Amino acid sequence: MKYAIKIHKISTVNALPDYWNSNDFKQLLEKFGFADAESTDIKELQELLFMAIADYETNEAAAIVLDYKLSEHLNQGQIDQLSHEMLLDKISEEYPEIWLHKDLFSINQLLYKAYNGKFLNTEATIVDFEITPIKNADKTITKEIVLKCFAQNLTKSNVVNRLFGNQVLAKEAFEEANDVIWDLQKNDHQYKMITSDYWMGKNEFLSGDFEAAIEFFDEE
């Protein structure tokens, strides 16, 4: 199958829009011992949360936020370990469970801002683009289709091409595509893809306008 892709904009960001909401901040404030926040303004709530977090040791604060967001997926031992490792490593890029990277990114960046840089800064990439099926190509655009197309427009040294070369070439199933791409949003013919800068850095894209022929793994 073949697709034509036109990239309109590539942005590097250090926070995901709309990941945290007012209710998240109110619940976190309660967990940090500040249960009387009456404001409904998300910026005010965030500032209150940052002040509340500052009263805690970095690993203690990390454990509280990790527990709030990921207690259904991680046990207490894993949370405690991550709360210490986050100060030393970019966990949202290195953690083996790729499907947790998006959450770990937003948790890390919240703590990074709350502690004015004590945690390591990480970034995400947002790509606004059009994708047009050519001839009989599937018109239902999935994360796998997008990632396979974009992989052909990334440098050979790019992490996706190095780690998932067989999957990109359809020699193996590409289940990881759904986790490498954090979000894929459609608005008419326009798409927005969000992923980690670790997977796709702005300077790794080769062209703003290209065609890509892709295949899918066929289990015999």
PDB file of all heavy atoms in Angstrom, residues 105-136:
ATOM      1  N   PHE A 105       6.030  10.186  31.041  1.00  0.00           N
ATOM      2  CA  PHE A 105       6.471  11.489  30.533  1.00  0.00           C
ATOM      3  C   PHE A 105       5.759  12.620  31.271  1.00  0.00           C
ATOM      4  O   PHE A 105       6.400  13.568  31.757  1.00  0.00           O
ATOM      5  CB  PHE A 105       6.188  11.588  29.031  1.00  0.00           C
ATOM      6  CG  PHE A 105       6.361  12.977  28.464  1.00  0.00           C
ATOM      7  CD1 PHE A 105       7.616  13.452  28.132  1.00  0.00           C
ATOM      8  CD2 PHE A 105       5.261  13.803  28.272  1.00  0.00           C
ATOM      9  CE1 PHE A 105       7.775  14.737  27.617  1.00  0.00           C
ATOM     10  CE2 PHE A 105       5.405  15.085  27.760  1.00  0.00           C
ATOM     11  CZ  PHE A 105       6.672  15.553  27.430  1.00  0.00           C
ATOM     12  N   SER A 106       4.447  12.543  31.364  1.00  0.00           N
ATOM     13  CA  SER A 106       3.684  13.631  31.985  1.00  0.00           C
ATOM     14  C   SER A 106       3.924  13.713  33.490  1.00  0.00           C
ATOM     15  O   SER A 106       3.948  14.804  34.069  1.00  0.00           O
ATOM     16  CB  SER A 106       2.193  13.462  31.687  1.00  0.00           C
ATOM     17  OG  SER A 106       1.941  13.709  30.314  1.00  0.00           O
ATOM     18  N   ILE A 107       4.118  12.572  34.132  1.00  0.00           N
ATOM     19  CA  ILE A 107       4.457  12.567  35.557  1.00  0.00           C
ATOM     20  C   ILE A 107       5.823  13.214  35.762  1.00  0.00           C
ATOM     21  O   ILE A 107       6.011  14.064  36.642  1.00  0.00           O
ATOM     22  CB  ILE A 107       4.449  11.122  36.102  1.00  0.00           C
ATOM     23  CG1 ILE A 107       3.020  10.582  36.135  1.00  0.00           C
ATOM     24  CG2 ILE A 107       5.079  11.062  37.498  1.00  0.00           C
ATOM     25  CD1 ILE A 107       2.937   9.080  36.372  1.00  0.00           C
ATOM     26  N   ASN A 108       6.780  12.820  34.946  1.00  0.00           N
ATOM     27  CA  ASN A 108       8.131  13.370  35.051  1.00  0.00           C
ATOM     28  C   ASN A 108       8.136  14.878  34.850  1.00  0.00           C
ATOM     29  O   ASN A 108       8.784  15.622  35.596  1.00  0.00           O
ATOM     30  CB  ASN A 108       9.036  12.705  34.013  1.00  0.00           C
ATOM     31  CG  ASN A 108      10.469  13.195  34.094  1.00  0.00           C
ATOM     32  OD1 ASN A 108      11.268  12.703  34.880  1.00  0.00           O
ATOM     33  ND2 ASN A 108      10.816  14.193  33.281  1.00  0.00           N
ATOM     34  N   GLN A 109       7.407  15.341  33.835  1.00  0.00           N
ATOM     35  CA  GLN A 109       7.422  16.772  33.526  1.00  0.00           C
ATOM     36  C   GLN A 109       6.727  17.596  34.599  1.00  0.00           C
ATOM     37  O   GLN A 109       7.120  18.733  34.867  1.00  0.00           O
ATOM     38  CB  GLN A 109       6.795  17.018  32.157  1.00  0.00           C
ATOM     39  CG  GLN A 109       7.624  16.477  30.993  1.00  0.00           C
ATOM     40  CD  GLN A 109       9.067  16.948  31.033  1.00  0.00           C
ATOM     41  OE1 GLN A 109       9.966  16.187  31.401  1.00  0.00           O
ATOM     42  NE2 GLN A 109       9.306  18.206  30.691  1.00  0.00           N
ATOM     43  N   LEU A 110       5.708  17.034  35.226  1.00  0.00           N
ATOM     44  CA  LEU A 110       5.062  17.722  36.346  1.00  0.00           C
ATOM     45  C   LEU A 110       6.063  17.915  37.480  1.00  0.00           C
ATOM     46  O   LEU A 110       6.177  19.007  38.059  1.00  0.00           O
ATOM     47  CB  LEU A 110       3.857  16.914  36.827  1.00  0.00           C
ATOM     48  CG  LEU A 110       3.057  17.538  37.981  1.00  0.00           C
ATOM     49  CD1 LEU A 110       2.199  18.688  37.467  1.00  0.00           C
ATOM     50  CD2 LEU A 110       2.174  16.498  38.657  1.00  0.00           C
ATOM     51  N   LEU A 111       6.813  16.870  37.787  1.00  0.00           N
ATOM     52  CA  LEU A 111       7.807  16.934  38.861  1.00  0.00           C
ATOM     53  C   LEU A 111       8.990  17.813  38.460  1.00  0.00           C
ATOM     54  O   LEU A 111       9.550  18.532  39.293  1.00  0.00           O
ATOM     55  CB  LEU A 111       8.279  15.526  39.212  1.00  0.00           C
ATOM     56  CG  LEU A 111       7.203  14.618  39.826  1.00  0.00           C
ATOM     57  CD1 LEU A 111       7.641  13.162  39.787  1.00  0.00           C
ATOM     58  CD2 LEU A 111       6.891  15.047  41.261  1.00  0.00           C
ATOM     59  N   TYR A 112       9.365  17.765  37.202  1.00  0.00           N
ATOM     60  CA  TYR A 112      10.452  18.615  36.692  1.00  0.00           C
ATOM     61  C   TYR A 112      10.139  20.092  36.932  1.00  0.00           C
ATOM     62  O   TYR A 112      10.990  20.866  37.396  1.00  0.00           O
ATOM     63  CB  TYR A 112      10.650  18.346  35.200  1.00  0.00           C
ATOM     64  CG  TYR A 112      11.579  19.315  34.502  1.00  0.00           C
ATOM     65  CD1 TYR A 112      12.957  19.196  34.621  1.00  0.00           C
ATOM     66  CD2 TYR A 112      11.058  20.351  33.720  1.00  0.00           C
ATOM     67  CE1 TYR A 112      13.809  20.094  33.979  1.00  0.00           C
ATOM     68  CE2 TYR A 112      11.897  21.247  33.074  1.00  0.00           C
ATOM     69  CZ  TYR A 112      13.274  21.113  33.208  1.00  0.00           C
ATOM     70  OH  TYR A 112      14.104  22.009  32.570  1.00  0.00           O
ATOM     71  N   LYS A 113       8.899  20.476  36.644  1.00  0.00           N
ATOM     72  CA  LYS A 113       8.498  21.877  36.830  1.00  0.00           C
ATOM     73  C   LYS A 113       8.325  22.213  38.309  1.00  0.00           C
ATOM     74  O   LYS A 113       8.693  23.300  38.754  1.00  0.00           O
ATOM     75  CB  LYS A 113       7.203  22.149  36.063  1.00  0.00           C
ATOM     76  CG  LYS A 113       7.379  22.093  34.552  1.00  0.00           C
ATOM     77  CD  LYS A 113       6.062  22.306  33.830  1.00  0.00           C
ATOM     78  CE  LYS A 113       6.249  22.211  32.324  1.00  0.00           C
ATOM     79  NZ  LYS A 113       4.956  22.356  31.590  1.00  0.00           N
ATOM     80  N   ALA A 114       7.786  21.275  39.069  1.00  0.00           N
ATOM     81  CA  ALA A 114       7.559  21.529  40.495  1.00  0.00           C
ATOM     82  C   ALA A 114       8.873  21.740  41.240  1.00  0.00           C
ATOM     83  O   ALA A 114       8.946  22.543  42.175  1.00  0.00           O
ATOM     84  CB  ALA A 114       6.787  20.366  41.111  1.00  0.00           C
ATOM     85  N   TYR A 115       9.909  21.036  40.827  1.00  0.00           N
ATOM     86  CA  TYR A 115      11.206  21.118  41.508  1.00  0.00           C
ATOM     87  C   TYR A 115      12.234  21.944  40.734  1.00  0.00           C
ATOM     88  O   TYR A 115      13.429  21.872  41.024  1.00  0.00           O
ATOM     89  CB  TYR A 115      11.756  19.711  41.754  1.00  0.00           C
ATOM     90  CG  TYR A 115      11.089  18.997  42.907  1.00  0.00           C
ATOM     91  CD1 TYR A 115      10.167  17.984  42.674  1.00  0.00           C
ATOM     92  CD2 TYR A 115      11.370  19.340  44.224  1.00  0.00           C
ATOM     93  CE1 TYR A 115       9.549  17.326  43.727  1.00  0.00           C
ATOM     94  CE2 TYR A 115      10.760  18.688  45.282  1.00  0.00           C
ATOM     95  CZ  TYR A 115       9.847  17.683  45.026  1.00  0.00           C
ATOM     96  OH  TYR A 115       9.239  17.035  46.078  1.00  0.00           O
ATOM     97  N   ASN A 116      11.759  22.720  39.771  1.00  0.00           N
ATOM     98  CA  ASN A 116      12.640  23.625  39.019  1.00  0.00           C
ATOM     99  C   ASN A 116      13.870  22.927  38.448  1.00  0.00           C
ATOM    100  O   ASN A 116      14.993  23.423  38.541  1.00  0.00           O
ATOM    101  CB  ASN A 116      13.080  24.799  39.904  1.00  0.00           C
ATOM    102  CG  ASN A 116      11.923  25.699  40.282  1.00  0.00           C
ATOM    103  OD1 ASN A 116      11.112  26.066  39.434  1.00  0.00           O
ATOM    104  ND2 ASN A 116      11.825  26.038  41.561  1.00  0.00           N
ATOM    105  N   GLY A 117      13.653  21.741  37.885  1.00  0.00           N
ATOM    106  CA  GLY A 117      14.730  21.101  37.150  1.00  0.00           C
ATOM    107  C   GLY A 117      15.490  20.007  37.866  1.00  0.00           C
ATOM    108  O   GLY A 117      16.466  19.487  37.315  1.00  0.00           O
ATOM    109  N   LYS A 118      15.084  19.614  39.066  1.00  0.00           N
ATOM    110  CA  LYS A 118      15.796  18.522  39.746  1.00  0.00           C
ATOM    111  C   LYS A 118      15.598  17.191  39.022  1.00  0.00           C
ATOM    112  O   LYS A 118      16.468  16.318  39.052  1.00  0.00           O
ATOM    113  CB  LYS A 118      15.332  18.407  41.200  1.00  0.00           C
ATOM    114  CG  LYS A 118      15.854  19.515  42.102  1.00  0.00           C
ATOM    115  CD  LYS A 118      15.476  19.266  43.553  1.00  0.00           C
ATOM    116  CE  LYS A 118      16.037  20.359  44.453  1.00  0.00           C
ATOM    117  NZ  LYS A 118      15.678  20.129  45.875  1.00  0.00           N
ATOM    118  N   PHE A 119      14.441  17.031  38.400  1.00  0.00           N
ATOM    119  CA  PHE A 119      14.206  15.855  37.569  1.00  0.00           C
ATOM    120  C   PHE A 119      14.699  16.164  36.158  1.00  0.00           C
ATOM    121  O   PHE A 119      14.794  17.327  35.758  1.00  0.00           O
ATOM    122  CB  PHE A 119      12.716  15.498  37.543  1.00  0.00           C
ATOM    123  CG  PHE A 119      12.222  14.898  38.832  1.00  0.00           C
ATOM    124  CD1 PHE A 119      11.955  15.709  39.933  1.00  0.00           C
ATOM    125  CD2 PHE A 119      12.027  13.536  38.956  1.00  0.00           C
ATOM    126  CE1 PHE A 119      11.513  15.164  41.128  1.00  0.00           C
ATOM    127  CE2 PHE A 119      11.580  12.983  40.147  1.00  0.00           C
ATOM    128  CZ  PHE A 119      11.324  13.797  41.236  1.00  0.00           C
ATOM    129  N   LEU A 120      15.014  15.126  35.394  1.00  0.00           N
ATOM    130  CA  LEU A 120      15.531  15.319  34.045  1.00  0.00           C
ATOM    131  C   LEU A 120      14.416  15.776  33.105  1.00  0.00           C
ATOM    132  O   LEU A 120      13.314  15.236  33.129  1.00  0.00           O
ATOM    133  CB  LEU A 120      16.147  14.015  33.528  1.00  0.00           C
ATOM    134  CG  LEU A 120      17.324  13.461  34.345  1.00  0.00           C
ATOM    135  CD1 LEU A 120      17.766  12.117  33.777  1.00  0.00           C
ATOM    136  CD2 LEU A 120      18.484  14.444  34.352  1.00  0.00           C
ATOM    137  N   ASN A 121      14.722  16.756  32.279  1.00  0.00           N
ATOM    138  CA  ASN A 121      13.732  17.257  31.327  1.00  0.00           C
ATOM    139  C   ASN A 121      13.610  16.299  30.145  1.00  0.00           C
ATOM    140  O   ASN A 121      14.605  15.806  29.621  1.00  0.00           O
ATOM    141  CB  ASN A 121      14.150  18.640  30.824  1.00  0.00           C
ATOM    142  CG  ASN A 121      13.087  19.273  29.950  1.00  0.00           C
ATOM    143  OD1 ASN A 121      11.895  19.106  30.189  1.00  0.00           O
ATOM    144  ND2 ASN A 121      13.514  20.005  28.936  1.00  0.00           N
ATOM    145  N   THR A 122      12.384  16.017  29.743  1.00  0.00           N
ATOM    146  CA  THR A 122      12.139  15.205  28.553  1.00  0.00           C
ATOM    147  C   THR A 122      11.183  15.956  27.637  1.00  0.00           C
ATOM    148  O   THR A 122      10.488  16.875  28.076  1.00  0.00           O
ATOM    149  CB  THR A 122      11.546  13.828  28.913  1.00  0.00           C
ATOM    150  OG1 THR A 122      10.392  14.015  29.755  1.00  0.00           O
ATOM    151  CG2 THR A 122      12.567  12.974  29.646  1.00  0.00           C
ATOM    152  N   GLU A 123      11.149  15.562  26.377  1.00  0.00           N
ATOM    153  CA  GLU A 123      10.344  16.289  25.401  1.00  0.00           C
ATOM    154  C   GLU A 123       9.502  15.341  24.558  1.00  0.00           C
ATOM    155  O   GLU A 123       9.813  14.154  24.428  1.00  0.00           O
ATOM    156  CB  GLU A 123      11.252  17.123  24.494  1.00  0.00           C
ATOM    157  CG  GLU A 123      11.995  18.221  25.249  1.00  0.00           C
ATOM    158  CD  GLU A 123      12.954  18.999  24.374  1.00  0.00           C
ATOM    159  OE1 GLU A 123      13.590  18.369  23.505  1.00  0.00           O
ATOM    160  OE2 GLU A 123      13.075  20.225  24.562  1.00  0.00           O
ATOM    161  N   ALA A 124       8.442  15.898  24.005  1.00  0.00           N
ATOM    162  CA  ALA A 124       7.567  15.149  23.105  1.00  0.00           C
ATOM    163  C   ALA A 124       7.539  15.849  21.752  1.00  0.00           C
ATOM    164  O   ALA A 124       7.848  17.042  21.643  1.00  0.00           O
ATOM    165  CB  ALA A 124       6.158  15.052  23.682  1.00  0.00           C
ATOM    166  N   THR A 125       7.168  15.097  20.735  1.00  0.00           N
ATOM    167  CA  THR A 125       7.084  15.627  19.372  1.00  0.00           C
ATOM    168  C   THR A 125       5.640  15.568  18.896  1.00  0.00           C
ATOM    169  O   THR A 125       4.979  14.531  19.022  1.00  0.00           O
ATOM    170  CB  THR A 125       7.977  14.814  18.415  1.00  0.00           C
ATOM    171  OG1 THR A 125       9.336  14.886  18.860  1.00  0.00           O
ATOM    172  CG2 THR A 125       7.888  15.353  16.991  1.00  0.00           C
ATOM    173  N   ILE A 126       5.159  16.683  18.368  1.00  0.00           N
ATOM    174  CA  ILE A 126       3.812  16.750  17.804  1.00  0.00           C
ATOM    175  C   ILE A 126       3.937  17.078  16.316  1.00  0.00           C
ATOM    176  O   ILE A 126       4.582  18.059  15.943  1.00  0.00           O
ATOM    177  CB  ILE A 126       2.950  17.813  18.514  1.00  0.00           C
ATOM    178  CG1 ILE A 126       2.824  17.483  20.012  1.00  0.00           C
ATOM    179  CG2 ILE A 126       1.568  17.897  17.870  1.00  0.00           C
ATOM    180  CD1 ILE A 126       2.038  18.517  20.803  1.00  0.00           C
ATOM    181  N   VAL A 127       3.329  16.241  15.486  1.00  0.00           N
ATOM    182  CA  VAL A 127       3.408  16.432  14.034  1.00  0.00           C
ATOM    183  C   VAL A 127       2.001  16.632  13.476  1.00  0.00           C
ATOM    184  O   VAL A 127       1.117  15.787  13.668  1.00  0.00           O
ATOM    185  CB  VAL A 127       4.066  15.220  13.337  1.00  0.00           C
ATOM    186  CG1 VAL A 127       4.228  15.504  11.843  1.00  0.00           C
ATOM    187  CG2 VAL A 127       5.413  14.893  13.967  1.00  0.00           C
ATOM    188  N   ASP A 128       1.795  17.760  12.809  1.00  0.00           N
ATOM    189  CA  ASP A 128       0.543  18.021  12.094  1.00  0.00           C
ATOM    190  C   ASP A 128       0.773  17.700  10.620  1.00  0.00           C
ATOM    191  O   ASP A 128       1.704  18.244  10.000  1.00  0.00           O
ATOM    192  CB  ASP A 128       0.129  19.482  12.260  1.00  0.00           C
ATOM    193  CG  ASP A 128      -0.240  19.807  13.702  1.00  0.00           C
ATOM    194  OD1 ASP A 128      -1.323  19.399  14.130  1.00  0.00           O
ATOM    195  OD2 ASP A 128       0.577  20.451  14.392  1.00  0.00           O
ATOM    196  N   PHE A 129      -0.078  16.841  10.056  1.00  0.00           N
ATOM    197  CA  PHE A 129       0.192  16.378   8.695  1.00  0.00           C
ATOM    198  C   PHE A 129      -1.087  15.939   7.983  1.00  0.00           C
ATOM    199  O   PHE A 129      -2.143  15.771   8.593  1.00  0.00           O
ATOM    200  CB  PHE A 129       1.186  15.211   8.730  1.00  0.00           C
ATOM    201  CG  PHE A 129       0.657  13.962   9.400  1.00  0.00           C
ATOM    202  CD1 PHE A 129       0.171  12.896   8.647  1.00  0.00           C
ATOM    203  CD2 PHE A 129       0.645  13.846  10.784  1.00  0.00           C
ATOM    204  CE1 PHE A 129      -0.319  11.748   9.258  1.00  0.00           C
ATOM    205  CE2 PHE A 129       0.157  12.697  11.406  1.00  0.00           C
ATOM    206  CZ  PHE A 129      -0.323  11.649  10.640  1.00  0.00           C
ATOM    207  N   GLU A 130      -0.952  15.759   6.683  1.00  0.00           N
ATOM    208  CA  GLU A 130      -1.991  15.141   5.862  1.00  0.00           C
ATOM    209  C   GLU A 130      -1.450  13.814   5.351  1.00  0.00           C
ATOM    210  O   GLU A 130      -0.261  13.698   5.055  1.00  0.00           O
ATOM    211  CB  GLU A 130      -2.337  16.022   4.661  1.00  0.00           C
ATOM    212  CG  GLU A 130      -2.987  17.342   4.984  1.00  0.00           C
ATOM    213  CD  GLU A 130      -3.228  18.167   3.728  1.00  0.00           C
ATOM    214  OE1 GLU A 130      -3.660  17.576   2.708  1.00  0.00           O
ATOM    215  OE2 GLU A 130      -2.959  19.373   3.756  1.00  0.00           O
ATOM    216  N   ILE A 131      -2.324  12.831   5.239  1.00  0.00           N
ATOM    217  CA  ILE A 131      -1.930  11.555   4.644  1.00  0.00           C
ATOM    218  C   ILE A 131      -3.022  11.122   3.677  1.00  0.00           C
ATOM    219  O   ILE A 131      -4.203  11.092   4.035  1.00  0.00           O
ATOM    220  CB  ILE A 131      -1.653  10.478   5.717  1.00  0.00           C
ATOM    221  CG1 ILE A 131      -1.232   9.162   5.068  1.00  0.00           C
ATOM    222  CG2 ILE A 131      -2.840  10.290   6.651  1.00  0.00           C
ATOM    223  CD1 ILE A 131      -0.667   8.143   6.055  1.00  0.00           C
ATOM    224  N   THR A 132      -2.619  10.816   2.454  1.00  0.00           N
ATOM    225  CA  THR A 132      -3.574  10.483   1.400  1.00  0.00           C
ATOM    226  C   THR A 132      -3.286   9.094   0.849  1.00  0.00           C
ATOM    227  O   THR A 132      -2.180   8.839   0.353  1.00  0.00           O
ATOM    228  CB  THR A 132      -3.485  11.504   0.248  1.00  0.00           C
ATOM    229  OG1 THR A 132      -3.667  12.824   0.772  1.00  0.00           O
ATOM    230  CG2 THR A 132      -4.547  11.218  -0.798  1.00  0.00           C
ATOM    231  N   PRO A 133      -4.257   8.177   0.944  1.00  0.00           N
ATOM    232  CA  PRO A 133      -4.061   6.846   0.350  1.00  0.00           C
ATOM    233  C   PRO A 133      -3.955   6.950  -1.172  1.00  0.00           C
ATOM    234  O   PRO A 133      -4.683   7.720  -1.803  1.00  0.00           O
ATOM    235  CB  PRO A 133      -5.327   6.086   0.755  1.00  0.00           C
ATOM    236  CG  PRO A 133      -5.927   6.880   1.871  1.00  0.00           C
ATOM    237  CD  PRO A 133      -5.560   8.299   1.612  1.00  0.00           C
ATOM    238  N   ILE A 134      -3.039   6.201  -1.740  1.00  0.00           N
ATOM    239  CA  ILE A 134      -2.863   6.180  -3.192  1.00  0.00           C
ATOM    240  C   ILE A 134      -3.449   4.882  -3.741  1.00  0.00           C
ATOM    241  O   ILE A 134      -3.171   3.790  -3.237  1.00  0.00           O
ATOM    242  CB  ILE A 134      -1.376   6.310  -3.563  1.00  0.00           C
ATOM    243  CG1 ILE A 134      -0.835   7.669  -3.087  1.00  0.00           C
ATOM    244  CG2 ILE A 134      -1.170   6.162  -5.064  1.00  0.00           C
ATOM    245  CD1 ILE A 134       0.650   7.848  -3.314  1.00  0.00           C
ATOM    246  N   LYS A 135      -4.296   5.019  -4.752  1.00  0.00           N
ATOM    247  CA  LYS A 135      -4.969   3.886  -5.399  1.00  0.00           C
ATOM    248  C   LYS A 135      -5.772   3.083  -4.380  1.00  0.00           C
ATOM    249  O   LYS A 135      -6.674   3.597  -3.755  1.00  0.00           O
ATOM    250  CB  LYS A 135      -3.954   3.026  -6.147  1.00  0.00           C
ATOM    251  CG  LYS A 135      -3.325   3.740  -7.336  1.00  0.00           C
ATOM    252  CD  LYS A 135      -2.403   2.821  -8.117  1.00  0.00           C
ATOM    253  CE  LYS A 135      -1.821   3.551  -9.323  1.00  0.00           C
ATOM    254  NZ  LYS A 135      -0.898   2.688 -10.107  1.00  0.00           N
ATOM    255  N   ASN A 136      -5.422   1.835  -4.167  1.00  0.00           N
ATOM    256  CA  ASN A 136      -6.243   0.953  -3.330  1.00  0.00           C
ATOM    257  C   ASN A 136      -5.758   0.838  -1.890  1.00  0.00           C
ATOM    258  O   ASN A 136      -6.132  -0.099  -1.181  1.00  0.00           O
ATOM    259  CB  ASN A 136      -6.301  -0.445  -3.955  1.00  0.00           C
ATOM    260  CG  ASN A 136      -6.970  -0.436  -5.310  1.00  0.00           C
ATOM    261  OD1 ASN A 136      -7.938   0.296  -5.523  1.00  0.00           O
ATOM    262  ND2 ASN A 136      -6.456  -1.241  -6.233  1.00  0.00           N
TER     263      ASN A 136
END
